[in-house]
Amino acid sequence: MWPDLIRKAKEGGLDAIETYVFWNAHEPLRRQYDFTGNLDLIRFLKTIQDEGLYSVLRIGPYVCAEWNYGGFPVWLHNQPGIEIRTANSVYMDEMQNFTTLIVDMVKQEKLFASQGGPIILAQIENEYGNVISSYGDAGKAYMNWCANMAESLDIGIPWIMCQENDAPQPIINTCNGWYCDQFTPNNENSPKMWTENWTGWFKSWGGKDPFRTAEDLAFAVARFFQNGGTFQNYYMYHGGTNFGRTAGGPYITTSYDYDAPLNEFGSLNQPKYGHLKELHGILHSIEKTITYGNISSIDFGNSVYATIYQLNDTSSCFFGNTNTTTDATVTYQGVDYQVPAWSVSILPDCKNVVYNTAKVNTQTSVMVKKINEAEDEPASLKWSWRPQVIDDTVVLGKGQVSASQLIDQKVTNDVSDYFWYMTSVNLDKDDPIWTDDMSLRVNGTGHVVHAFVNGEYLGSQWASYGIFNYVFEKKVKFNPGNNQLTLLSATIGLQNYGARFDLIDTGLPGPIEIIGKKGDESIIKDLSKHKWSYKVGLNGLDNELVYADKKFASQWQSENLPINKMMTWYKTTFKAPLGEDPVVVDMQGLGKGLAWVNGNSLGRYWPSFIAEDGCSTKPCDYRGSYDNSKCVKNCGQPTQRWYHVPRSFMKEDDNELVLFEEFGGNPSLVNFQTIRPGSVCGSAYENRDMELSCYGRVISDIKFASFGDSQGTCGSFEKGSCEATNDALSIIQNACVGKESCTVPATESVFGSTNCGKGVSKRLLVEAVC
């Protein structure tokens, strides 16, 4: 997908692609490196270069990014004597080794701008200023060491540190956030740079879908450049998918769509993509003036202000209105200009408004899912199955190692989500704890725990994003004599952010206790210091059931398909959907687990985790500061029902889907679908062109068309109080139906005069079917 994504980014008006470097992906085991396939960093940078774009290389190597363990390899945690992200020689040696490795690779290929390459900036560390106070003097010393170490690598381009107000010279400190127009660098000679403009937000299991309007995002960008900004990067412009076990959190979803201008599947997220593309074009047209021009400003009061950039005989103006409800009239050089609330108008010649952030003149695309037309019965896949053999662990308690203590799951270097804790407990009826009212109490870390006693399933528990511990407690019936207790811990991504996030417990830190209740008295037996046996992973993963050509791949059953049975493997074949549209697999009916297509991991799935309530039924108002609780969607629905299947994962003929169902579910509803625009809605203010495109398909029908003061959102437009005299519907039908795209001027010469009053902002609204 790289060339297509990069080409679309360039077409969207971007000049550079910013990327992290993920330490845990490239050095999964100490001194064992992987730069193959999708991890080929050099190939990625050269693909950017081939498209004629610049690059910003954020080496970190701590990256956050809602990525597992913040991008750190977990073996780092297990190095003797290490303290991470502070003045600790063990950590600094490892960090310098990896950073130097990356720099040397890039130098060898002559990819730094100082060598004629595309990389214009490099970043060391990441948002350390947000946590530096927690590390005291050692944190300050570490930050200065990072700067000196980076500079010693002599790459010939500037190094940056984001969110680090006291970054030492010559390191440039930069801003991250939803808005950075008020940010000021710590050195008056440093450029004002915004390394992360958050285009939306990430999603967590049980959380709502984020939505940031195109109007507000454009407003943030325009305000930044109005106030002296020189460099701005979108985080994310394309978020994509957390394939495999890369999602962090814990509880970050497999989808990392982020409501970005290019959606998870690489398609245009309209109108956000188009509205920003138009803004980028305007900014490029005045780039020289706003880079080198003299700056003056006029404060009109009531949060309305003008900024004028002047270079020789050329002037460019920004009119800003940061009111959240009140539109403003700006009088400049004898001319009145209307500036809507929470918007910026750009006048490249200080006379004519060519762009206002609140006025979207690009189409909205409503994406729909279509059945897999390559299958005769696309909703009825044929399944085989096999159980996850767990008798050795659940019944017999056989492990790989043992210890007389509870150990943190990170000791396994995070090679699997799954880690078994097993012990035996000898009880007799004379034991003080023995009663008819006994329970098992387990202190967990917020991840999933499944409990078994004497081979019988007792129960499970999990938490949600931001919860790092809970207590699982359930009544249990023990047998006189020996009892086998087995606990399966299942991680959902390791913590990726915060001061000393690397030390947050994973797995089952305990205490783990048996409680016997006798009337008002509770007697507790602490098992934490018992001899515990441990086992990493699952037999099915060890036996490589996800690969069709492996030894155990043939041992599947096709009869008596179990449903709602935990710890079960399922397998089916399917044909790749026709065409080139993005492909998703609908996991409705399943619980939680892992999925693979032709051995390629799609990531974790969890459609049974329902998103919390709290969505508003009112249309989203772009006005006012955005945060991730504003304009949310998808309440009361599965957090994530559909999962991305890249076409590069599939073959032309039969393909294989393998599922490990951890909770228990019904695979009969699973099916493959494609995603494409179902309807598109055009919007153009008066004297602008209304453009519609079905992206390779024809426009088959026009459901709504009006030129006047119509209101509403795509799919629910309504005519307003005034409208043009000509029949807008027939005009648009004649111009657009049967075509892949069309352009119609939003003018009275086309649609006739209107009876709209003075000051009414007229626009053409159209809803078309693809």
Side-chain angles (χ1 to χ4, degrees):
M1 294 176 66
W2 291 350
D4 180 63
L5 292 169
I6 293 167
R7 176 181 53 80
K8 287 174 179 174
K10 183 178 181 179
E11 291 174 354
L14 268 61
D15 302 302
I17 302 292
E18 192 172 276
T19 184
Y20 280 128
V21 181
F22 296 97
W23 190 356
N24 56 3
H26 294 300
E27 194 178 357
L29 298 173
R30 189 170 185 266
R31 302 302 184 265
Q32 296 184 28
Y33 303 107
D34 188 356
F35 292 92
T36 61
N38 282 343
L39 299 179
D40 191 339
L41 174 65
I42 298 301
R43 181 167 63 90
F44 179 70
L45 293 169
K46 288 184 175 180
T47 306
I48 295 171
Q49 184 179 35
D50 290 344
E51 199 59 58
L53 296 177
Y54 297 112
S55 177
V56 177
L57 189 62
R58 304 178 74 183
I59 299 175
Y62 165 70
V63 299
C64 184
E66 291 71 59
W67 188 272
N68 192 51
Y69 212 45
F72 284 144
V74 179
W75 59 258
L76 197 66
H77 169 82
N78 295 317
Q79 291 294 105
I82 199 165
E83 291 182 66
I84 291 177
R85 296 186 83 194
T86 189
N88 172 270
S89 60
V90 179
Y91 170 70
M92 292 189 296
D93 285 348
E94 296 293 345
M95 176 181 168
Q96 184 168 5
N97 180 80
F98 182 75
T99 303
T100 304
L101 173 77
I102 298 301
V103 166
D104 288 347
M105 287 175 60
V106 173
K107 275 186 177 180
Q108 184 176 349
E109 299 296 327
K110 294 180 168 54
L111 292 174
F112 288 114
S114 57
Q115 302 172 293
I119 303 173
I120 56 174
L121 294 168
Q123 179 177 301
I124 194 70
E125 250 294 340
N126 188 58
E127 295 186 331
Y128 193 64
N130 293 351
V131 298
I132 189 172
S133 62
S134 298
Y135 296 90
D137 291 341
K140 179 76 171 178
Y142 164 67
M143 186 267 295
N144 287 323
W145 172 85
C146 286
N148 292 329
M149 184 269 288
E151 283 296 321
S152 73
L153 296 174
D154 191 26
I155 60 177
I157 62 172
W159 284 95
I160 59 175
M161 282 185 171
C162 64
Q163 298 294 89
E164 185 58 68
N165 291 335
D166 55 353
Q169 292 299 304
I171 307 294
I172 302 170
N173 69 309
T174 67
C175 181
N176 293 352
W178 284 298
Y179 309 95
C180 281
D181 53 289
Q182 298 303 307
F183 166 73
T184 302
N186 65 8
N187 184 290
E188 62 181 10
N189 295 317
S190 293
K192 180 174 178 173
M193 302 171 70
W194 190 359
T195 33
E196 291 187 16
N197 179 355
W198 301 332
T199 58
W201 201 240
F202 57 84
K203 187 165 71 168
S204 60
W205 297 113
K208 302 175 279 284
D209 284 6
F211 174 67
R212 187 180 186 187
T213 64
E215 295 95 326
D216 179 65
L217 182 55
F219 174 58
V221 176
R223 280 177 69 188
F224 180 69
F225 285 103
Q226 177 176 4
N227 286 285
T230 61
F231 169 94
Q232 185 261 176
N233 172 74
Y234 295 105
Y235 187 97
M236 304 290 292
Y237 197 76
H238 167 68
T241 306
N242 288 315
F243 295 115
R245 302 175 54 250
T246 55
Y251 288 88
I252 298 298
T253 56
T254 299
S255 171
Y256 200 69
D257 181 85
Y258 218 86
D259 194 30
L262 294 177
N263 68 18
E264 177 181 0
F265 317 108
S267 302
L268 308 188
N269 178 11
Q270 296 283 33
K272 187 172 284 186
Y273 175 90
H275 194 43
L276 293 175
K277 177 180 179 178
E278 186 179 358
L279 173 58
H280 300 154
I282 301 300
L283 291 172
H284 279 127
S285 73
I286 58 174
E287 181 176 5
K288 187 174 182 179
T289 303
I290 63 175
T291 301
Y292 299 105
N294 294 320
I295 306 173
S296 60
S297 60
I298 303 172
D299 188 346
F300 295 101
N302 197 28
S303 301
V304 180
Y305 53 102
T307 305
I308 302 96
Y309 288 85
Q310 187 167 9
L311 180 65
N312 300 323
D313 296 329
T314 302
S315 296
S316 297
C317 293
F318 294 79
F319 297 160
N321 179 3
T322 58
N323 279 286
T324 59
T325 57
T326 306
D327 297 346
T329 299
V330 170
T331 302
Y332 180 72
Q333 294 185 344
V335 179
D336 290 344
Y337 298 91
Q338 301 300 316
V339 185
W342 204 253
S343 79
V344 174
S345 291
I346 303 178
L347 299 74
D349 58 0
C350 284
K351 296 178 182 178
N352 299 292
V353 176
V354 299
Y355 186 88
N356 178 268
T357 59
K359 295 184 175 182
V360 177
N361 290 284
T362 192
Q363 76 175 39
T364 296
S365 300
V366 178
M367 309 302 282
V368 296
K369 298 175 180 69
K370 298 292 185 181
I371 62 171
N372 182 5
E373 296 175 351
E375 298 279 2
D376 294 331
E377 298 180 45
S380 182
L381 298 169
K382 295 181 180 179
W383 293 90
S384 57
W385 69 283
R386 58 179 291 164
Q388 166 61 36
V389 178
I390 56 176
D391 287 351
D392 281 356
T393 48
V394 171
V395 178
L396 302 178
K398 291 184 177 179
Q400 298 156 327
V401 296
S402 62
S404 297
Q405 63 183 40
L406 296 169
I407 60 178
D408 189 286
Q409 191 164 339
K410 289 191 290 294
V411 75
T412 68
N413 285 339
D414 193 44
V415 297
S416 173
D417 283 359
Y418 300 101
F419 190 52
W420 299 86
Y421 292 70
M422 298 161 285
T423 193
S424 59
V425 184
N426 198 287
L427 297 172
D428 59 53
K429 293 185 178 181
D430 295 330
D431 196 303
I433 201 171
W434 187 273
T435 73
D436 292 332
D437 186 4
M438 289 189 286
S439 60
L440 174 68
R441 180 188 293 167
V442 179
N443 285 269
T445 56
H447 296 270
V448 178
V449 64
H450 305 292
F452 304 84
V453 174
N454 295 325
E456 298 295 323
Y457 173 64
L458 180 64
S460 303
Q461 191 162 328
W462 53 91
S464 59
Y465 180 76
I467 306 299
F468 301 121
N469 54 72
Y470 60 73
V471 176
F472 168 85
E473 186 167 346
K474 196 158 185 177
K475 291 185 181 298
V476 61
K477 185 174 178 61
F478 288 105
N479 299 325
N482 195 55
N483 294 269
Q484 178 62 40
L485 171 61
T486 300
L487 303 170
L488 175 59
S489 170
T491 54
I492 313 119
L494 300 185
Q495 181 72 13
N496 58 259
Y497 180 75
R500 295 185 171 83
F501 74 87
D502 53 295
L503 300 179
I504 292 176
D505 289 334
T506 308
L508 304 175
I512 297 174
E513 302 163 324
I514 298 172
I515 295 110
K517 294 183 179 178
K518 297 179 179 179
D520 294 335
E521 183 182 9
S522 291
I523 301 173
I524 297 175
K525 185 179 185 69
D526 191 345
L527 306 179
S528 304
K529 299 297 184 181
H530 266 226
K531 182 178 180 181
W532 289 85
S533 294
Y534 298 96
K535 182 180 178 181
V536 181
L538 302 169
N539 290 333
L541 292 173
D542 295 341
N543 295 337
E544 299 183 313
L545 298 182
V546 301
Y547 302 106
D549 59 347
K550 296 300 180 179
K551 174 182 176 182
F552 295 94
S554 61
Q555 300 174 9
W556 294 79
Q557 307 173 48
S558 57
E559 298 179 354
N560 302 317
L561 185 78
I563 60 172
N564 300 321
K565 181 178 175 60
M566 68 185 304
M567 306 293 176
T568 304
W569 291 84
Y570 296 103
K571 182 172 70 171
T572 189
T573 58
F574 68 96
K575 295 185 183 300
L578 302 176
E580 298 179 356
D581 291 327
V583 178
V584 293
V585 57
D586 184 354
M587 296 292 202
Q588 185 180 19
L590 295 177
K592 172 188 178 289
L594 305 169
W596 296 263
V597 166
N598 297 329
N600 299 292
S601 175
L602 302 184
R604 302 181 183 96
Y605 67 81
W606 202 344
S608 64
F609 208 140
I610 303 302
E612 60 193 352
D613 293 329
C615 296
S616 173
T617 58
K618 298 178 181 178
C620 179
D621 188 346
Y622 70 86
R623 298 173 300 180
S625 294
Y626 176 80
D627 63 41
N628 56 297
S629 63
K630 182 179 180 180
C631 299
V632 291
K633 302 183 293 184
N634 198 50
C635 292
Q637 301 297 317
T639 308
Q640 186 178 348
R641 174 176 165 181
W642 290 277
Y643 296 79
H644 185 200
V645 186
R647 287 192 175 270
S648 61
F649 284 8
M650 294 180 284
K651 301 176 289 187
E652 291 185 4
D653 52 2
D654 286 342
N655 297 273
E656 185 175 85
L657 170 67
V658 175
L659 307 174
F660 171 65
E661 176 53 55
E662 179 184 331
F663 280 13
N666 184 354
S668 64
L669 298 177
V670 172
N671 66 94
F672 289 83
Q673 301 169 1
T674 56
I675 298 180
R676 67 189 193 200
S679 60
V680 292
C681 294
S683 171
Y685 283 83
E686 187 174 17
N687 297 321
R688 298 293 302 272
D689 287 341
M690 189 280 303
E691 297 179 353
L692 283 179
S693 174
C694 280
Y695 303 110
R697 291 182 173 81
V698 298
I699 299 169
S700 60
D701 190 21
I702 304 298
K703 297 180 69 174
F704 180 92
S706 176
F707 180 60
D709 66 345
S710 297
Q711 303 296 322
T713 57
C714 187
S716 59
F717 288 142
E718 294 181 352
K719 292 185 177 182
S721 59
C722 63
E723 188 176 21
T725 55
N726 297 340
D727 184 2
L729 187 62
S730 62
I731 292 172
I732 299 299
Q733 286 173 335
N734 291 332
C736 299
V737 171
K739 300 178 181 179
E740 291 183 6
S741 61
C742 61
T743 301
V744 180
T747 63
E748 290 191 352
S749 63
V750 173
F751 292 96
S753 61
T754 71
N755 58 350
C756 300
K758 184 179 180 181
V760 173
S761 185
K762 292 172 285 187
R763 61 175 172 162
L764 172 62
L765 293 179
V766 176
E767 181 180 355
V769 179
C770 296

